[in-house]
Amino acid sequence: MSRLLFVHAHPDDETLTCGITMAHHVALGDEVHVLTCTLGEEGEVVPPELAHLQGADGDPLGPFRLGEIREAMRRLGVQQTVLGAENPSDRLAGPLSRYRDSGMAGMPSTQHPRAFAAADVETVGALVAEHIRKLRPDVVVTYDATGGYEHPDHVQTHRVTMAGLRQLADGERPAYTFHVHTPRSSVRPDRRWLREHVPAELGLAFRADDDPVISSTIDDALITHLVVDPVHLPAQIHALDAHRTQLRVWPGGYYALSNNVAARLAGREAFVRVDPLTGLRVDVDAVQSGLLPDR
């Protein structure tokens, strides 16, 4: 049995970007953990009946989203912890989260005294390092330096995870460290697939083939590891359905956030193995199937 740790910024990020990989390893009998850095208090709420949670005094959206991720991870068979919570059990005696969702760059929320993106990287990195020491995972997965799409909290998640890895002693570091990416070759085919498979009556928008791609999209030649396991797509969809404040998901393998733009769930996820000290890509002879040998 192997142990894997996925470090993500907000509830739902983990299932959207790594849901197939997590389900794949759970099915293999591995122990899978998620460390969530904030509760996503600045998330845009999709269902009208829950709109009152968005921007309300006292940040009720945060605890609600904590409940969502707990249910989503229960459905996947994954263990989940909030970074810096005084007590990660179901009966929290202290703050639910030490750090707050910073929101997008330029938003007033970036000035909140608990804004995650403004926190000292080495201090937060020490919390990540402490979590890794306790867990002793074989694998740590997080975002690349762009955070996937330049969200300040995603970028900060990358920074503090890499800082935490650097603070560990040689024998404490995981055997494998990965950044999650999107191979460039998949973007246009996935957009065409959506236009062919998503019913027009849903009223969703579609990105054109020549629209700018997300920041973490990279040349296929840079990908070192692929997890292709569409048999677990229903499990990913079932887990995403628990994140009802943030998205709508359909059994056909697609979803939409608050922007109502269709996005595909393709049953595959791509990663780049990196050196835990430098963050630089580790060369491989050929793209590996799975994150671990024979897994």
Side-chain angles (χ1 to χ4, degrees), residues 10-11 36 38-43 45 50 52-70 80 82 92 95-97 99-101 114 243 245-246:
H10 315 105
T36 309
T38 81
L39 301 185
E41 293 89 345
E42 291 295 317
V45 175
L50 296 175
H52 63 280
L53 296 172
Q54 185 173 329
D57 290 343
D59 281 341
L61 181 57
F64 196 94
R65 291 188 71 181
L66 177 59
E68 289 181 331
I69 190 173
R70 285 176 172 168
Q80 186 265 343
V82 177
L92 288 153
L96 297 178
S97 175
Y99 301 103
R100 188 183 185 278
D101 183 350
R114 291 196 297 116
H243 290 290
T245 62
Q246 300 304 294

Side-chain angles (χ1 to χ4, degrees), residues 122-137:
E122 295 301 318
T123 300
V124 185
L127 293 175
V128 176
E130 179 184 5
H131 189 74
I132 293 173
R133 285 192 191 97
K134 291 178 179 178
L135 198 60
R136 301 305 294 266

Side-chain angles (χ1 to χ4, degrees), residues 174-274:
Y176 299 90
T177 302
F178 294 98
H179 293 161
V180 60
H181 282 276
T182 301
R184 192 164 291 135
S185 68
S186 70
V187 175
R188 289 186 177 182
D190 281 353
R191 290 176 177 178
R192 287 194 292 269
W193 183 94
L194 287 163
R195 291 195 293 270
E196 293 168 358
H197 290 83
V198 177
E201 56 266 28
L202 292 179
L204 300 181
F206 302 93
R207 296 194 186 278
D209 283 355
D210 57 354
D211 277 358
V213 296
I214 59 175
S215 303
S216 65
T217 302
I218 61 173
D219 190 275
D220 289 46
L222 297 176
I223 298 296
T224 63
H225 292 67
L226 281 171
V227 176
V228 182
D229 200 350
V231 70
H232 294 301
L233 186 56
Q236 182 185 31
I237 291 170
H238 187 47
L240 281 175
D241 196 47
H243 290 290
R244 57 190 297 258
T245 62
Q246 300 304 294
L247 54 86
R248 292 182 292 161
V249 61
W250 287 268
Y254 49 89
Y255 68 95
L257 303 174
S258 60
N259 59 8
N260 279 327
V261 174
R264 187 182 182 189
L265 300 167
R268 50 173 156 73
E269 291 157 357
F271 304 86
V272 173
R273 185 182 175 189
V274 299

Side-chain angles (χ1 to χ4, degrees), residues 14 37 55 76 81 99 111-112 117 129 139-140 157 184 250 252 256 288:
E14 75 298 322
C37 295
L76 281 179
T81 305
Y99 301 103
Q111 304 303 313
H112 191 282
V139 172
V140 168
T157 299
R184 192 164 291 135
W250 287 268
Q288 307 294 303

Side-chain angles (χ1 to χ4, degrees), residues 90-110:
D90 285 337
R91 295 185 177 182
L92 288 153
L96 297 178
S97 175
R98 183 173 300 190
Y99 301 103
R100 188 183 185 278
D101 183 350
S102 309
M104 296 301 292
M107 292 176 59
S109 53
T110 60

